[in-house]
Amino acid sequence: MAFSAAEQGWIAKLKSAEYGQAHLLPDNAEPKDVKRLLADVTLADKVYPGGLLSYIRNARKLLADSKAGVNPFEGYTPVVPEGESPEVGSPEYAAFEKKGLEELGCTAFVLVAGGLGERLGYPSIKIGLPSETATGTTYCELYVKYILAFQEVASKRLGKPVKLPLAIMVSGDTHDATVKLLQDNNNFGMDADQIVIMLQEKVPALLDNDAKIAVKADDPFRIETKPHGHGDVHTLLCQHGLPEKWEKDGKKWVVFFQV
């Protein structure tokens, strides 16, 4: 079984000192198994901004700094921001609320929903949890209803129909259940073209401080992966072209929230 030029290129890269992943390619490996491994490697290279080598380099630096006890915040002095905290019902609060209402039509919403509710004793997605017990309204429905209420207010104020977009970041663990929850409930009244589902791919798990990539316990030719954290939401928004689209649609503000 011959390797393609791209596969040969990856084999050479993995064996190089720069990548340092020769352990993934034992000498007695069957070509069909190597191809399965390289499929995972190719996906990992596409998922991380800058590619797999960038991921390995960043990991090595962070792991080395951690081992050496380097404080990434050395030289910084923490300061509690003052900001504004008006009392609910006060004239100041009403003034801020009025200003917010004026900007509703220019707002987009981003829900980070990559987690399961296991630690809460719930076996499925967090946004499927009931927000209260009287009606059993899920958090997903509650969020959508709030956005639709904002949308109605914005439409009345502007005198024309307004749509407030919602982007939802999901993981491999929550994607199917999130899509099903929305489909089974007709998006809780929201138009389908308002919602964008952004799948957060996982990144390779690492074995040691040299950033050697781990493989699955039951298959040495499949890469073990792990979630990469909430910070990926910004990358996903850009990959889906949403900042440009929202700006073109007149949006100026983005509200990020999660369960």
Side-chain angles (χ1 to χ4, degrees):
M1 184 179 293
F3 293 110
S4 67
E7 289 171 332
Q8 291 175 14
W10 271 118
I11 291 172
K13 288 177 182 178
L14 294 175
K15 290 183 176 181
S16 69
E18 189 174 31
Y19 276 76
Q21 307 299 326
H23 67 287
L24 296 174
L25 300 166
D27 294 335
N28 61 348
E30 294 288 338
K32 62 181 178 62
D33 291 327
V34 174
K35 282 180 174 288
R36 290 193 295 113
L37 174 78
L38 295 180
D40 282 359
V41 169
T42 302
L43 177 60
D45 186 62
K46 292 178 180 178
V47 167
Y48 191 80
L52 183 59
L53 182 57
S54 178
Y55 176 69
I56 292 170
R57 285 173 174 168
N58 289 341
R60 284 174 181 158
K61 182 181 185 308
L62 291 171
L63 289 166
D65 287 350
S66 177
K67 183 178 180 180
V70 174
N71 180 3
F73 301 107
E74 185 70 36
Y76 289 88
T77 302
V79 177
V80 178
E82 294 181 5
E84 299 286 347
S85 184
E87 183 179 348
V88 176
S90 68
E92 186 182 14
Y93 185 93
F96 277 118
E97 186 175 49
K98 181 176 182 295
K99 182 63 177 176
L101 288 172
E102 293 171 357
E103 298 295 325
L104 268 181
C106 305
T107 305
F109 296 83
V110 177
L111 170 59
V112 178
L116 298 171
E118 294 167 324
R119 286 180 294 178
L120 303 173
Y122 185 72
S124 190
I125 54 176
K126 287 182 182 178
I127 61 172
L129 278 163
S131 60
E132 41 84 9
T133 57
T135 65
T137 299
T138 64
Y139 278 100
C140 186
E141 179 178 2
L142 182 67
Y143 296 150
V144 170
K145 293 298 186 184
Y146 261 102
I147 295 172
L148 290 176
F150 291 152
Q151 181 173 288
E152 183 178 357
V153 171
S155 296
K156 288 180 178 178
R157 291 182 66 89
L158 295 173
K160 62 179 181 180
V162 172
K163 282 190 177 182
L164 303 183
L166 170 63
I168 305 176
M169 184 178 86
V170 297
S171 66
D173 295 328
T174 65
H175 176 272
D176 292 351
T178 300
V179 171
K180 186 176 188 305
L181 178 63
L182 290 167
Q183 289 179 343
D184 288 351
N185 294 279
N186 195 28
N187 296 325
F188 299 107
M190 185 172 278
D191 290 343
D193 62 359
Q194 286 179 257
I195 302 174
V196 175
I197 302 293
M198 307 182 299
L199 176 60
Q200 178 193 29
E201 298 286 358
K202 295 180 180 180
V203 295
L206 303 174
L207 289 171
D208 53 29
N209 283 351
D210 293 324
K212 285 186 169 59
I213 293 173
V215 295
K216 293 184 179 295
D218 60 349
D219 188 344
F221 295 98
R222 293 296 310 279
I223 290 177
E224 186 65 79
T225 57
K226 64 179 183 63
H228 194 235
H230 287 176
D232 278 358
V233 67
H234 305 288
T235 300
L236 287 170
L237 286 169
C238 291
Q239 288 176 346
H240 283 76
L242 293 180
E244 294 84 358
K245 181 181 186 304
W246 289 345
E247 184 178 29
K248 183 179 178 181
D249 292 342
K251 307 307 179 195
K252 298 189 297 182
W253 312 102
V254 179
V255 176
F256 292 86
F257 62 106
Q258 67 184 71
V259 178

